[in-house]
Amino acid sequence: MASPLKVCIVGSGNWGSAIARIIGSNVRSRQRFATAVKMWVLEEKVDGRKLTDIINTEHENVKYLPGYKLPENVAVPTLCNAVEGADLLVFVVPHQFTRKLCDEMVGRVSPRARGISLIKGIDVGPGGLKLISDIIREKMDIDVSVLMGANIANEVAAERFCETTIGSKILENGLLFKELLQTPNFRVTVVEDSDTVELCGALKNIVAVGAGFCDGLSCGDNTKAAVIRLGLTEMMAFARLSSSSSEDAGAFSPTTFLESCGVADLITTCYGGRNRRVAEAFAKTGKSIEELEREMLNGQKLQGPATSAEVYHILEQKGLLDKFPLFTAVYQICFKGKPVREIISCLQSHPAHL
């Protein structure tokens, strides 16, 4: 009989801690997995105490997921020690740090290791668009699935019912991670259109920033519905564009947008997510995104504005900015000093109305 699979969670913020609750509970009842789950925690002090010490003694991430007890996962402050010998890696860190972290992990994990990315973002390099799962796959030489869905972290931690989507290029690995993650209240669907699943998770955050701007301007639900619909058309167009320019050109499937990772996640994020909430405060206060991250997110990084910048540069290179006015407006408002009301102008002249 094969030895149980060792699980390591790479990241311990709000979403990482919520997922840790599920995994820590599931491994105790499923013989396929080792019961000791390591979780890499970026060390910091909370009221003079190390966060890892708090998690290991009180079993609660008091900074990023207060009020919810964690199973007896082991919080480890050194990444190399956390991933040593791991068979299953659950990546849940800000997308900007993926390359650096992968470089540190190379050679430390099991030869049979597989990964799943819960990271919502994309990367832009000299060769153009790069999916985060591709970066992990290439740097670590492991297969990587992705998980995206309508999953507000605190609601998942509170065990409120929700759905999610796993995209996997190797179906067997997607089903393995479904076994690790599914609960009666966290229902997993596995699809093979992995790239579209991942793009949905990244792009919906841009749309949510636009929705937040509308809330900050007190535009009402009709206007926000227009942002969601027009944002969805741009998400689908961008996914189609990315698929047509990749080696795996046949991968794009519009029906993937009907999964939890698509329309459901878009709606949830535009009404309940942190990107919407911070964007509303941006519109109301005039404070910078960086200031609001410190004040509202305990310093955690917001993914929507960063992703809008990466998408903007791709569209600019391709000469397609005029085809994606919502994505473009979000970027220009966040980073180029355009007035927040530009979000309404882009809706009024959106090519989807023509």
Side-chain angles (χ1 to χ4, degrees):
M1 180 177 175
S3 57
L5 298 169
K6 297 177 182 176
V7 182
C8 176
I9 302 166
V10 182
S12 59
N14 185 238
W15 185 211
S17 296
I19 283 296
R21 277 174 54 84
I22 290 175
I23 293 174
S25 175
N26 279 353
V27 296
R28 288 183 293 184
S29 61
R30 299 174 189 181
Q31 294 182 348
R32 194 171 186 180
F33 309 107
T35 54
V37 176
K38 291 183 180 179
M39 178 170 68
W40 174 62
V41 177
L42 181 64
E43 192 67 279
E44 55 187 303
K45 292 289 185 73
V46 179
D47 295 329
R49 298 176 61 194
K50 291 181 179 180
L51 182 57
T52 51
D53 290 343
I54 296 171
I55 293 173
N56 286 332
T57 58
E58 299 176 16
H59 306 297
E60 182 180 346
N61 189 333
V62 296
K63 182 166 185 181
Y64 298 118
L65 192 67
Y68 295 99
K69 290 296 181 182
L70 299 174
E72 293 188 6
N73 304 318
V74 180
V76 182
T78 306
L79 180 61
C80 292
N81 292 341
V83 302
E84 190 72 46
D87 301 299
L88 301 179
L89 296 162
V90 180
F91 294 89
V92 54
V93 293
H95 76 275
Q96 303 93 315
F97 306 122
T98 307
R99 290 180 183 274
K100 177 179 179 295
L101 295 175
C102 285
D103 287 338
E104 293 181 36
M105 287 185 278
V106 170
R108 299 281 182 172
V109 302
S110 162
R112 60 175 179 169
R114 285 153 282 186
I116 188 166
S117 172
L118 281 61
I119 300 170
K120 296 181 176 178
I122 57 174
D123 186 83
V124 180
L129 170 70
K130 201 82 168 172
L131 296 174
I132 301 303
S133 64
D134 286 335
I135 294 172
I136 300 169
R137 191 176 291 113
E138 292 169 10
K139 282 188 167 287
M140 299 192 65
D141 194 26
I142 62 175
D143 182 63
V144 184
S145 302
V146 297
L147 181 147
M148 308 285 156
N151 309 140
I152 300 296
N154 285 60
E155 294 184 14
V156 172
E159 300 181 17
R160 297 178 185 172
F161 181 85
C162 68
E163 301 173 318
T164 198
T165 310
I166 288 178
S168 189
K169 295 180 186 297
I170 300 175
L171 184 59
E172 177 187 356
N173 291 342
L175 294 172
L176 172 62
F177 281 109
K178 176 177 180 175
E179 185 179 345
L180 176 67
L181 290 160
Q182 181 162 269
T183 75
N185 285 321
F186 191 71
R187 306 305 293 176
V188 178
T189 300
V190 181
V191 301
E192 294 179 272
D193 185 7
S194 176
D195 291 352
T196 303
V197 172
E198 188 166 2
L199 279 172
C200 283
L203 298 175
K204 56 95 181 184
N205 284 330
I206 306 177
V207 185
V209 172
F213 290 157
C214 287
D215 288 341
L217 295 170
S218 300
C219 293
D221 286 337
N222 291 341
T223 305
K224 189 152 75 169
V227 168
I228 293 170
R229 186 187 76 81
L230 295 171
L232 179 62
T233 67
E234 293 192 17
M235 287 170 60
M236 296 183 73
F238 191 89
R240 189 177 291 108
L241 174 70
S242 301
S243 176
S244 65
S245 61
S246 73
E247 295 179 5
D248 192 13
F252 174 72
S253 172
T255 58
T256 302
F257 284 86
L258 299 178
E259 299 291 346
S260 180
C261 63
V263 173
D265 194 10
L266 178 61
I267 293 170
T268 297
T269 309
C270 286
Y271 278 91
R274 66 174 66 178
N275 286 277
R276 185 218 63 80
R277 187 161 48 91
V278 173
E280 179 181 15
F282 179 92
K284 287 182 173 178
T285 67
K287 294 180 179 179
S288 70
I289 295 293
E290 292 77 13
E291 286 179 279
L292 293 168
E293 286 173 336
R294 287 193 296 271
E295 292 177 11
M296 301 176 68
L297 303 178
N298 277 328
Q300 291 188 104
K301 304 305 291 181
L302 204 62
Q303 297 302 305
T307 305
S308 78
E310 287 149 348
V311 167
Y312 181 89
H313 293 309
I314 292 169
L315 296 175
E316 188 175 40
Q317 289 170 359
K318 295 179 179 291
L320 293 173
L321 291 175
D322 61 324
K323 303 293 186 184
F324 294 84
L326 181 60
F327 287 176
T328 299
V330 168
Y331 167 76
Q332 291 176 334
I333 293 166
C334 287
F335 296 106
K336 295 298 181 182
K338 291 275 190 178
V340 177
R341 289 206 65 83
E342 284 290 312
I343 199 71
I344 306 304
S345 301
C346 94
L347 299 178
Q348 293 168 335
S349 59
H350 200 285
H353 291 136
L354 301 178

